[in-house]
Amino acid sequence: MKQVLIVEDDRNLSRGLCLALKNQELQIVPCFDLKSAREQLACGMTGLVLLDINLPDGSGLELLREIKTVSNPVPVILLTANDTEMDVVMGLEHGADDYITKPFSLAILRARVKAQLRRGIAQASKVFVIGSYRFDFEQMTFFKSDTAVELSKTEQKLLRLLVENQGVTISRAVLLERIWTDGADFVDENALSVTVKRLRDKLDAARYIKTVYGLGYVWAVKQDD
């Protein structure tokens, strides 16, 4: 489960943000000052920070600077009433991944949060070791035990979507849209079935790549015996 840390001293706004972002895939953790935010970040579970600049015990820019100096920084969206051009430039120059000024649309906020979480997964999850498999998406090397497996670009896209979402069924519509990004509307749905079969056969992964009939496909966390 991905954790979103909300650092906002306005408790009514914080409560509203928690409700707006709440879903089964996210754990929302509110903090009202820099001290409690630093304590939460030290636990190492945070996947995204929504950060106000004007906080009771200091500037959110201080915390932003601290977050961005570690070896594997989490994405940060500044969420603030400071709305001048200079404020935005300063926030981005301090390393913010996005900058949203108050008041804001909750729909846009949710979309930007999802975008940053997807980007964070893509950057952090380039190598997967699952059982006898090792998938390195940066180097484009794929192994079953000590045997290298050659995968096409389409098969690599499919594999990455499945392993990044282990245990989650991904619908055929989403897979078509995410794999054939240059024209999913014109792709025969049979192309997805063929790609899944080829990937299963190449990896000998029938125990992992499961068809969820009427829905889509999943990389199973628990395999059949």
Side-chain angles (χ1 to χ4, degrees):
M1 179 177 288
K2 306 178 188 71
Q3 184 187 93
V4 175
L5 181 62
I6 298 176
V7 189
E8 168 60 63
D9 63 319
D10 183 327
R11 292 178 182 260
N12 287 331
L13 176 56
S14 176
R15 187 158 45 247
L17 291 170
C18 290
L19 290 172
L21 296 175
K22 182 180 179 181
N23 66 48
Q24 294 180 344
E25 298 178 358
L26 295 180
Q27 178 190 22
I28 312 298
V29 179
C31 292
F32 306 110
D33 53 35
L34 293 176
K35 181 177 182 294
S36 57
R38 289 186 175 107
E39 291 172 351
Q40 185 61 39
L41 285 164
C43 297
M45 300 296 292
T46 304
L48 172 67
V49 180
L50 291 181
L51 178 61
D52 190 10
I53 291 179
N54 304 308
L55 294 163
D57 54 347
S59 170
L61 294 177
E62 298 174 17
L63 182 61
L64 172 61
R65 192 181 303 112
E66 293 170 18
I67 291 171
K68 293 303 180 179
T69 55
V70 301
S71 58
N72 189 25
V74 299
V76 177
I77 299 177
L78 288 177
L79 195 63
T80 174
N82 298 357
D83 59 358
T84 69
E85 182 177 307
M86 185 58 66
D87 290 325
V88 177
V89 169
M90 184 177 298
L92 296 175
E93 286 184 345
H94 275 73
D97 298 275
D98 202 348
Y99 196 108
I100 302 176
T101 57
K102 303 173 184 176
F104 50 84
S105 158
L106 288 177
I108 290 176
L109 174 65
R110 282 192 289 264
R112 292 189 175 185
V113 165
K114 288 180 181 178
Q116 290 300 329
L117 289 171
R118 284 197 302 268
R119 188 174 303 169
I121 290 172
Q123 291 173 347
S125 303
K126 293 177 180 177
V127 180
F128 293 84
V129 178
I130 307 170
S132 61
Y133 297 103
R134 186 178 188 277
F135 306 136
D136 186 332
F137 290 96
E138 183 175 15
Q139 300 298 322
M140 291 187 292
T141 56
F142 308 94
F143 285 86
K144 182 180 187 301
S145 299
D146 296 324
T147 304
V149 180
E150 293 292 330
L151 298 179
S152 69
K153 294 288 187 182
T154 302
E155 290 161 354
Q156 290 177 36
K157 287 182 180 180
L158 172 61
L159 177 62
R160 185 161 189 165
L161 285 167
L162 292 173
V163 298
E164 282 182 349
N165 297 278
Q166 295 175 53
V168 177
T169 300
I170 308 177
S171 71
R172 292 181 62 88
V174 169
L175 289 171
L176 284 166
E177 179 183 348
R178 298 285 298 278
I179 295 171
W180 286 275
T181 54
D182 55 348
D185 292 342
F186 304 100
V187 176
D188 186 339
E189 281 205 13
N190 187 54
L192 178 58
S193 301
V194 171
T195 303
V196 170
K197 184 179 186 307
R198 286 178 178 167
L199 184 63
R200 271 200 196 111
D201 292 345
K202 286 185 177 182
L203 294 175
D204 189 21
R207 297 174 66 218
Y208 285 91
I209 301 174
K210 300 290 188 182
T211 301
V212 182
Y213 291 99
L215 294 175
Y217 299 94
V218 61
W219 183 282
V221 176
K222 294 183 179 180
Q223 296 78 50
D224 297 335
D225 294 329

